[in-house]
Amino acid sequence: LPLPVQEQMVRSMKGLEGCEITTPGYAVEYAYLSPLQLNVFLEHRSIKGLFFAGQVAGSNGYEEAAALGLTAGINAALRARGKEMLVLDRTQAYIGVLIDDFTRKEQKEPYRMLTSRDEYRLALRHDNADRQLAEIGHKLGLISREQVGRIKEKHTRVTFQHEICTEESRELR
Protein backbone atom coordinates (compact mmCIF):
# COMPACT_ATOMS: atom_id res chain seq x y z
CA LEU A 1 0.00 0.00 0.00
CA PRO A 2 1.20 3.57 -0.56
CA LEU A 3 2.80 5.24 2.48
CA PRO A 4 -0.13 7.66 3.12
CA VAL A 5 -2.56 4.74 3.22
CA GLN A 6 -0.28 2.79 5.57
CA GLU A 7 0.04 5.83 7.85
CA GLN A 8 -3.72 6.38 7.92
CA MET A 9 -4.34 2.74 8.74
CA VAL A 10 -1.72 2.54 11.51
CA ARG A 11 -2.76 5.90 13.02
CA SER A 12 -6.36 4.69 13.23
CA MET A 13 -5.30 2.27 16.01
CA LYS A 14 -5.64 3.41 19.61
CA GLY A 15 -2.30 4.56 20.97
CA LEU A 16 -0.70 4.97 17.53
CA GLU A 17 -2.48 8.18 16.53
CA GLY A 18 0.78 10.18 16.42
CA CYS A 19 3.15 7.50 15.19
CA GLU A 20 5.60 8.01 12.36
CA ILE A 21 6.43 5.16 9.96
CA THR A 22 10.16 5.18 9.28
CA THR A 23 10.16 2.27 6.82
CA PRO A 24 6.93 1.48 4.98
CA GLY A 25 5.87 -2.12 4.65
CA TYR A 26 5.59 -3.87 1.34
CA ALA A 27 4.00 -7.02 0.07
CA VAL A 28 5.16 -9.46 -2.51
CA GLU A 29 2.41 -11.08 -4.49
CA TYR A 30 3.01 -14.13 -6.56
CA ALA A 31 0.96 -14.92 -9.60
CA TYR A 32 1.36 -18.62 -10.18
CA LEU A 33 -0.20 -21.64 -11.74
CA SER A 34 -1.88 -23.94 -9.23
CA PRO A 35 0.44 -26.91 -8.79
CA LEU A 36 -2.67 -29.11 -8.72
CA GLN A 37 -2.84 -28.51 -12.48
CA LEU A 38 0.42 -30.46 -12.80
CA ASN A 39 0.91 -34.21 -12.83
CA VAL A 40 3.77 -36.00 -11.05
CA PHE A 41 5.99 -35.37 -14.09
CA LEU A 42 5.45 -31.57 -13.58
CA GLU A 43 3.60 -31.53 -16.88
CA HIS A 44 0.32 -29.64 -17.21
CA ARG A 45 -2.52 -32.14 -16.84
CA SER A 46 -4.40 -30.85 -19.90
CA ILE A 47 -1.57 -29.58 -22.11
CA LYS A 48 0.82 -32.44 -22.84
CA GLY A 49 4.41 -31.35 -23.36
CA LEU A 50 4.06 -28.17 -21.24
CA PHE A 51 6.15 -28.44 -18.06
CA PHE A 52 6.33 -26.01 -15.14
CA ALA A 53 8.71 -25.48 -12.23
CA GLY A 54 9.82 -22.82 -9.76
CA GLN A 55 7.83 -19.83 -8.57
CA VAL A 56 5.55 -19.79 -11.60
CA ALA A 57 4.37 -23.20 -10.43
CA GLY A 58 3.87 -22.10 -6.82
CA SER A 59 7.10 -23.11 -5.09
CA ASN A 60 9.18 -20.83 -2.93
CA GLY A 61 12.90 -21.06 -2.33
CA TYR A 62 15.96 -21.70 -4.44
CA GLU A 63 16.29 -25.36 -3.52
CA GLU A 64 12.68 -26.14 -4.39
CA ALA A 65 12.91 -24.24 -7.68
CA ALA A 66 16.14 -26.06 -8.58
CA ALA A 67 14.71 -29.49 -7.71
CA LEU A 68 11.52 -28.86 -9.65
CA GLY A 69 13.40 -27.35 -12.59
CA LEU A 70 15.79 -30.32 -12.77
CA THR A 71 12.91 -32.80 -12.67
CA ALA A 72 10.73 -30.89 -15.14
CA GLY A 73 13.72 -30.54 -17.50
CA ILE A 74 14.55 -34.25 -17.30
CA ASN A 75 10.91 -35.14 -17.97
CA ALA A 76 10.59 -32.68 -20.84
CA ALA A 77 13.67 -34.26 -22.47
CA LEU A 78 12.33 -37.77 -21.86
CA ARG A 79 8.91 -36.81 -23.27
CA ALA A 80 10.59 -35.34 -26.37
CA ARG A 81 12.50 -38.60 -26.88
CA GLY A 82 9.38 -40.71 -26.36
CA LYS A 83 10.85 -42.38 -23.26
CA GLU A 84 9.31 -43.23 -19.91
CA MET A 85 9.35 -40.18 -17.66
CA LEU A 86 10.91 -39.96 -14.21
CA VAL A 87 8.86 -40.19 -11.03
CA LEU A 88 10.71 -40.15 -7.74
CA ASP A 89 8.70 -41.69 -4.92
CA ARG A 90 8.41 -40.26 -1.41
CA THR A 91 10.53 -43.18 -0.21
CA GLN A 92 13.38 -42.41 -2.64
CA ALA A 93 14.18 -38.72 -2.32
CA TYR A 94 13.11 -35.41 -0.88
CA ILE A 95 12.36 -34.34 -4.45
CA GLY A 96 9.79 -37.13 -4.46
CA VAL A 97 8.19 -35.74 -1.31
CA LEU A 98 8.26 -32.24 -2.76
CA ILE A 99 6.60 -33.24 -6.03
CA ASP A 100 4.05 -35.50 -4.35
CA ASP A 101 3.00 -32.78 -1.90
CA PHE A 102 3.18 -30.14 -4.59
CA THR A 103 0.98 -31.88 -7.16
CA ARG A 104 -1.50 -33.67 -4.90
CA LYS A 105 -2.16 -31.35 -1.95
CA GLU A 106 -3.72 -27.91 -2.11
CA GLN A 107 -1.21 -25.26 -1.07
CA LYS A 108 -2.36 -22.16 0.79
CA GLU A 109 0.96 -20.38 0.28
CA PRO A 110 4.14 -20.83 -1.77
CA TYR A 111 5.53 -24.29 -0.99
CA ARG A 112 8.70 -24.83 1.03
CA MET A 113 10.21 -28.26 1.45
CA LEU A 114 10.58 -29.08 5.13
CA THR A 115 12.06 -32.35 6.37
CA SER A 116 9.17 -32.58 8.82
CA ARG A 117 6.84 -33.12 5.84
CA ASP A 118 8.52 -36.44 5.09
CA GLU A 119 7.53 -39.60 6.89
CA TYR A 120 10.75 -41.26 5.59
CA ARG A 121 13.12 -38.53 6.86
CA LEU A 122 15.20 -40.99 8.89
CA ALA A 123 16.00 -42.99 5.76
CA LEU A 124 16.42 -40.03 3.35
CA ARG A 125 19.65 -38.36 4.36
CA HIS A 126 22.41 -36.34 2.75
CA ASP A 127 24.86 -39.17 3.42
CA ASN A 128 22.94 -41.79 1.43
CA ALA A 129 21.19 -39.81 -1.31
CA ASP A 130 23.87 -40.75 -3.82
CA ARG A 131 23.36 -44.46 -3.10
CA GLN A 132 19.58 -44.17 -3.31
CA LEU A 133 19.65 -42.33 -6.64
CA ALA A 134 22.76 -43.67 -8.40
CA GLU A 135 20.98 -46.30 -10.51
CA ILE A 136 18.30 -43.80 -11.53
CA GLY A 137 21.00 -41.30 -12.49
CA HIS A 138 22.76 -43.95 -14.57
CA LYS A 139 19.54 -45.01 -16.28
CA LEU A 140 18.95 -41.39 -17.27
CA GLY A 141 22.50 -41.04 -18.61
CA LEU A 142 23.49 -38.55 -15.91
CA ILE A 143 26.28 -40.66 -14.39
CA SER A 144 28.44 -43.48 -15.69
CA ARG A 145 28.41 -47.14 -14.61
CA GLU A 146 31.89 -46.48 -13.15
CA GLN A 147 30.50 -43.69 -10.97
CA VAL A 148 27.71 -45.99 -9.76
CA GLY A 149 30.37 -48.55 -8.83
CA ARG A 150 32.38 -45.97 -6.86
CA ILE A 151 29.24 -44.92 -4.97
CA LYS A 152 28.43 -48.53 -4.09
CA GLU A 153 32.03 -49.17 -3.02
CA LYS A 154 31.99 -46.09 -0.78
CA HIS A 155 28.83 -47.25 0.95
CA THR A 156 30.24 -50.77 1.35
CA ARG A 157 33.29 -49.28 3.12
CA VAL A 158 31.08 -47.09 5.33
CA THR A 159 28.93 -50.10 6.30
CA PHE A 160 32.05 -52.15 7.06
CA GLN A 161 33.49 -49.40 9.27
CA HIS A 162 30.15 -49.02 11.05
CA GLU A 163 30.10 -52.76 11.78
CA ILE A 164 33.64 -52.60 13.19
CA CYS A 165 32.71 -49.66 15.44
CA THR A 166 29.54 -51.39 16.59
CA GLU A 167 31.44 -54.60 17.42
CA GLU A 168 34.15 -52.70 19.32
CA SER A 169 31.48 -50.80 21.23
CA ARG A 170 29.87 -54.12 22.28
CA GLU A 171 33.24 -55.47 23.44
CA LEU A 172 33.81 -52.41 25.63
CA ARG A 173 30.57 -52.99 27.55
Side-chain angles (χ1 to χ4, degrees), residues 51-113:
F51 294 82
F52 286 90
Q55 287 183 339
V56 72
S59 73
N60 189 14
Y62 298 119
E63 296 87 357
E64 293 84 357
L68 292 172
L70 174 66
T71 307
I74 288 170
N75 281 328
L78 292 170
R79 158 89 58 209
R81 293 180 177 162
K83 295 189 176 187
E84 182 181 343
M85 290 191 279
L86 172 68
V87 176
L88 292 172
D89 188 77
R90 296 180 74 87
T91 63
Q92 293 176 292
Y94 276 115
I95 295 175
V97 175
L98 166 67
I99 293 171
D100 187 60
D101 283 354
F102 197 65
T103 60
R104 296 175 197 251
K105 298 179 182 177
E106 183 177 357
Q107 305 301 323
K108 303 279 188 222
E109 57 189 35
Y111 185 89
R112 288 300 310 254
M113 181 61 221

Side-chain angles (χ1 to χ4, degrees), residues 112-172:
R112 288 300 310 254
M113 181 61 221
L114 305 170
T115 56
S116 61
R117 296 181 194 266
D118 180 26
E119 63 274 24
Y120 299 98
R121 63 185 163 272
L122 297 178
L124 300 179
R125 304 182 314 270
H126 70 283
D127 65 330
N128 69 5
D130 57 349
R131 183 182 68 214
Q132 299 222 40
L133 300 173
E135 288 295 339
I136 294 169
H138 176 66
K139 180 181 172 191
L140 293 170
L142 300 173
I143 63 172
S144 68
R145 177 54 57 198
E146 181 183 321
Q147 288 170 301
V148 172
R150 286 197 305 260
I151 290 167
K152 286 181 178 181
E153 173 61 27
K154 177 186 89 169
H155 286 282
T156 299
R157 288 193 316 268
V158 168
T159 301
F160 177 72
Q161 291 299 323
H162 182 265
E163 289 170 359
I164 288 173
C165 292
T166 301
E167 186 60 37
E168 288 181 8
S169 174
R170 285 187 193 127
E171 291 174 7
L172 293 174

